Amino acid sequence: MGLLRKPSCSTQNPPNSFSLSFRQSRFQVQHSVMAIYSCNLKSIGRKTHATGTAGAHLRYIARDGAQADIAAYHMPPEPQAAQAWMDKQEAQERANARVVSKVFIALPVELTEPQRHELVRAYIRAITQDRVPWYFAIHQSGEDAHNPHCHIVIRDREQATGKRVLMLSDSEKDRRKAGLPASGVEWIRAQWEIICNRHLEQAGFAARIDRRTLEAQGIDREATIHIGTTAQRADSFKERPQSQEREERTKRKRYRTTTPYPKIDQGRTRQ
């Protein structure tokens, strides 16, 4: 495994199966604290994206300005070399192939930087079994100190056979045929919840993440809306155009019909 900007981590044998079990808490927690859950899966394909998009994405998440903590397996960790490697891999794919899967996860603020590195490493090894190349970049310094997160890139081609083994974006029918859980999205989201909570427990924190909706959790409040680093620094901007509510026309319509930007911005600018 290649590492960049961090000392080598202890090597552990990959889990023996795709199925992970969650051990019950070894200590009593009087008050349950809910950490932030965010785990999203997207893909980059030759048919859906411009040539070189996958390689450019690697270069972007590993950019110097992000002060990223980088690790890679079966591919170069250095950003420029990783991009060249990915471009070569893409050129060998068929015209309608998926080149990579992208996973974005929010990391617990409760953990230290080394603990977050071990958490991400445990997660990516659990879902890939170290059978396919992967790359991750943790952003947790500078502007991201209060918003730690990780970008993961998975190249779903087994080293020994060249075959796809994870099939994260495939149909339920194809995944069942391959002996995998029906939904790749739900599977990686569940694994993140399990592994993240395990590491929070091992570190002695009561905080837990929960992938269920607030309604399913029995929590009577509106879901919060993520405010990125640019919006958080809005007070330093000179121009202050008036915020307006915006009707949602994307997949966010599943959660809300409008986005209340005046309430979010609180008099700050988005420009």
Side-chain angles (χ1 to χ4, degrees):
M1 180 183 73
L3 295 172
L4 196 63
R5 301 194 184 101
K6 282 288 181 181
S8 298
C9 302
S10 60
T11 303
Q12 299 176 353
N13 291 328
N16 294 323
S17 68
F18 282 96
S19 176
L20 296 173
S21 62
F22 178 62
R23 295 173 297 174
Q24 295 297 322
S25 176
R26 293 173 295 179
F27 52 89
Q28 296 297 320
V29 178
Q30 294 181 347
H31 300 286
S32 178
V33 181
M34 192 61 62
I36 296 174
Y37 181 94
S38 182
C39 178
N40 302 300
L41 171 68
K42 295 182 180 180
S43 62
I44 296 177
R46 294 198 67 183
K47 188 175 182 180
T48 56
H49 293 78
T51 300
T53 298
H57 178 67
L58 285 172
R59 189 78 176 268
Y60 173 73
I61 64 176
R63 65 193 184 279
D64 288 338
Q67 303 176 51
D69 173 7
I70 297 169
Y73 180 77
H74 275 314
M75 60 183 296
E78 196 280 322
Q80 189 171 356
Q83 181 179 17
W85 181 89
M86 187 63 71
D87 289 344
K88 183 177 180 180
Q89 292 289 309
E90 180 179 354
Q92 298 171 359
E93 286 283 8
R94 64 184 190 279
N96 64 342
R98 293 185 185 91
V99 183
V100 296
S101 294
K102 302 188 302 178
V103 182
F104 174 91
I105 48 178
L107 300 176
V109 295
E110 294 85 355
L111 300 181
T112 64
E113 292 188 3
Q115 286 174 331
R116 293 181 195 132
H117 184 103
E118 287 299 324
L119 167 59
V120 174
R121 189 166 176 268
Y123 175 60
I124 188 63
R125 293 192 70 182
I127 62 176
T128 67
Q129 302 290 285
D130 281 347
R131 296 177 65 186
V132 300
W134 51 258
Y135 191 102
F136 72 68
I138 299 175
H139 297 175
Q140 57 187 346
S141 304
E143 294 179 354
D144 293 314
H146 300 292
N147 180 36
H149 58 274
C150 181
H151 300 269
I152 299 173
V153 176
I154 301 172
R155 169 71 177 152
D156 190 14
R157 290 291 180 184
E158 190 174 36
Q159 292 298 292
T161 65
K163 296 181 178 180
R164 297 168 59 241
V165 294
L166 302 182
M167 304 173 64
L168 294 176
S169 300
D170 282 43
S171 67
E172 292 187 2
K173 179 180 178 181
D174 288 343
R175 286 182 57 82
R176 286 196 181 99
K177 186 177 180 181
L180 299 170
S183 172
V185 174
E186 287 304 312
W187 180 72
I188 67 160
R189 284 173 57 82
Q191 300 314 305
W192 173 241
E193 179 183 335
I194 292 169
I195 296 172
C196 182
N197 284 339
R198 180 182 297 164
H199 279 247
L200 284 167
E201 176 189 353
Q202 291 171 348
F205 290 101
R208 298 291 184 268
I209 62 173
D210 194 322
R211 72 184 187 279
R212 297 175 299 168
T213 64
L214 291 176
E215 182 180 2
Q217 296 177 48
I219 300 176
D220 185 18
R221 67 172 172 82
E222 293 184 4
T224 57
I225 299 174
H226 174 73
I227 301 176
T229 55
T230 301
Q232 293 174 17
R233 294 184 290 107
D235 284 334
S236 65
F237 300 157
K238 295 181 179 179
E239 297 183 5
R240 295 180 177 275
Q242 185 177 0
S243 300
Q244 298 179 355
E245 286 199 0
R246 186 180 71 183
E247 181 181 354
E248 289 298 345
R249 301 179 182 275
T250 64
K251 62 182 180 181
R252 295 194 186 102
K253 291 176 66 176
R254 293 179 294 176
Y255 310 106
R256 58 184 182 271
T257 56
T258 61
T259 297
Y261 283 114
K263 182 178 178 180
I264 298 170
D265 296 340
Q266 299 179 358
R268 300 176 300 184
T269 178
R270 293 198 144 254
Q271 300 296 322

